[in-house]
């Protein structure tokens, strides 16, 4: 049997979408992201927000053969509010087409949930569809091979001091150096209550927290000891000579926490970092 027997039987073409849209806007502001409105309005795909003081979140969806089945919600779990939503039969007008929308969101913990009404996901029996969610330049969710739904949680509601956790997770402290943090997280060193990238709240004064390294390679990052193969990128260490650095970068030698030209953060005590000459 065909996947959609009711829509597949017959030879006539489906009725085209209406070309006229309502010209009047509602006179009253709707409640914030009510569930009843999901699927009735078309969200606007936007370019990269400028001057975003919160989290920049990009949602990419490549539709499969049945684009009307796909919809998703982005919920702020700190406030339990739906911040953004794309309902079925709204934004995704074409099958087998990639769509991207970028939003500026408050610093918080979010749950992204994507659903397929028929229960065959986005991939792979009825087309090579997929989705990807990028938060502040870092992919936090991706896929396409699911059944009815799939969800991912990312971000953090507040900075948190966690005792006995090693390595420390995102937005957790107190760390002393990058090696105290999980994976490619870096230890964000603070003098007072400076904002920690990707985390909410001010945390405990003068305590340091693990966070994702900003994607522009301007934050000092301890990537291990250089081995002379030129593998260390801008603001990465620990280098011993220029040969440890990529391309035309040079090794900046320092003592303790000497500031590194062109780089942010304090890095690992006594480590040397690659910079532009």
């Amino acid at each position: 049997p065909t996947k959609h027997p009711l829509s597949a039987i017959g030879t006539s073409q489906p009725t085209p979408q209406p070309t006229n849209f309502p010209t009047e806007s509602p006179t009253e502001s709707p409640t914030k992201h009510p569930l009843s409105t999901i699927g009735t309005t078309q969200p606007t795909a936007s370019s990269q927000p400028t001057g975003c003081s919160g989290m920049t979140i990009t949602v990419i969806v490549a539709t499969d053969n049945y684009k009307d089945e796909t919809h998703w919600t982005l919920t702020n779990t700190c406030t339990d509010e739906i911040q953004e939503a794309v309902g079925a039969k709204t934004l995704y007008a074409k099958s087998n087409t990639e769509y991207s929308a970028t939003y500026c969101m408050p610093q918080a913990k979010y749950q992204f949930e994507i659903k397929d009404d028929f229960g065959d996901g986005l991939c792979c029996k009825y087309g090579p569809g997929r989705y990807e969610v990028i938060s502040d330049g870092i992919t936090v969710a991706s896929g396409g091979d699911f059944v009815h739904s799939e969800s991912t949680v990312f971000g953090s509601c507040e900075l948190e001091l966690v005792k006995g956790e090693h390595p420390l997770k995102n937005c957790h402290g107190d760390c002393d150096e990058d090696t105290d943090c999980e994976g490619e997280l870096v230890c964000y060193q603070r003098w007072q209550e400076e904002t920690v990238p990707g985390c909410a709240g001010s945390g405990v004064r003068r305590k340091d927290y693990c966070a994702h390294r900003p994607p522009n390679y301007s934050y000092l990052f301890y990537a291990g000891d250089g081995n002379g193969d030129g593998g260390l990128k801008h603001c990465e260490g620990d280098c011993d000579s220029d040969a440890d650095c990529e391309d035309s970068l040079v090794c900046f030698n320092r003592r303790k926490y000497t500031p590194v030209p062109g780089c942010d953060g304090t890095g690992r005590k006594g480590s040397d970092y690659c910079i532009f000459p």
Side-chain angles (χ1 to χ4, degrees), residues 158-267:
E158 295 290 341
L159 293 169
E160 183 180 0
L161 291 178
V162 181
K163 294 183 179 180
E165 180 181 81
H166 187 82
L168 293 165
K169 299 183 183 300
N170 189 39
C171 301
H172 288 180
D174 179 28
C175 58
D176 295 313
E177 55 188 17
D178 295 345
T179 52
D180 293 333
C181 303
E182 183 178 58
E184 294 191 353
L185 299 177
V186 297
C187 183
Y188 195 86
Q189 309 274 350
R190 312 196 303 169
W191 292 106
Q192 297 294 330
E193 295 181 348
E194 295 87 347
T195 299
V196 177
C199 302
S202 58
V204 178
R205 182 173 175 266
R206 304 192 73 173
K207 294 295 184 181
D208 306 321
Y209 296 85
C210 296
H212 287 289
R213 181 188 183 193
N216 58 359
Y217 289 101
S218 66
Y219 192 90
L220 293 174
F221 179 67
Y222 178 75
D225 294 329
N227 56 12
D229 65 354
L232 295 177
K233 297 179 175 61
H234 183 232
C235 298
E236 287 187 348
D238 181 20
C239 58
D240 296 316
S241 68
D242 296 349
D244 294 330
C245 302
E246 185 179 62
D247 299 329
S248 60
L249 300 177
V250 296
C251 183
F252 179 80
N253 294 286
R254 66 175 191 161
R255 296 186 61 188
K256 297 184 178 180
Y257 290 112
T258 302
V260 178
C263 302
D264 300 322
T266 57

Side-chain angles (χ1 to χ4, degrees), residues 63-244:
T63 56
D64 61 4
N65 297 347
Y66 298 92
K67 42 86 178 177
D68 288 341
E69 299 172 353
T70 303
H71 52 104
W72 57 260
T73 56
L74 184 65
T75 303
N76 183 333
T77 63
C78 302
T79 61
D80 201 29
E81 291 181 316
I82 296 177
Q83 296 282 163
E84 290 293 341
V86 167
K89 304 179 183 179
T90 57
L91 180 62
Y92 308 132
K94 296 181 179 180
S95 299
N96 302 307
T97 303
E98 183 173 290
Y99 294 86
S100 177
T102 300
Y103 311 94
C104 181
M105 297 294 186
Q107 294 285 356
K109 179 184 286 186
Y110 290 94
Q111 180 184 41
F112 175 82
E113 184 175 24
I114 189 167
K115 295 183 178 181
D116 180 88
D117 287 341
F118 191 78
D120 59 359
L122 283 168
C123 182
C124 298
K125 188 175 181 180
Y126 296 101
R130 71 177 189 92
Y131 74 90
E132 183 177 6
V133 181
I134 303 171
S135 176
D136 290 333
I138 298 169
T139 298
V140 294
S142 62
D145 188 7
F146 59 93
V147 184
H148 288 284
S149 66
E150 192 166 76
S151 65
T152 302
V153 175
F154 61 95
S156 176
C157 294
E158 295 290 341
L159 293 169
E160 183 180 0
L161 291 178
V162 181
K163 294 183 179 180
E165 180 181 81
H166 187 82
L168 293 165
K169 299 183 183 300
N170 189 39
C171 301
H172 288 180
D174 179 28
C175 58
D176 295 313
E177 55 188 17
D178 295 345
T179 52
D180 293 333
C181 303
E182 183 178 58
E184 294 191 353
L185 299 177
V186 297
C187 183
Y188 195 86
Q189 309 274 350
R190 312 196 303 169
W191 292 106
Q192 297 294 330
E193 295 181 348
E194 295 87 347
T195 299
V196 177
C199 302
S202 58
V204 178
R205 182 173 175 266
R206 304 192 73 173
K207 294 295 184 181
D208 306 321
Y209 296 85
C210 296
H212 287 289
R213 181 188 183 193
N216 58 359
Y217 289 101
S218 66
Y219 192 90
L220 293 174
F221 179 67
Y222 178 75
D225 294 329
N227 56 12
D229 65 354
L232 295 177
K233 297 179 175 61
H234 183 232
C235 298
E236 287 187 348
D238 181 20
C239 58
D240 296 316
S241 68
D242 296 349
D244 294 330

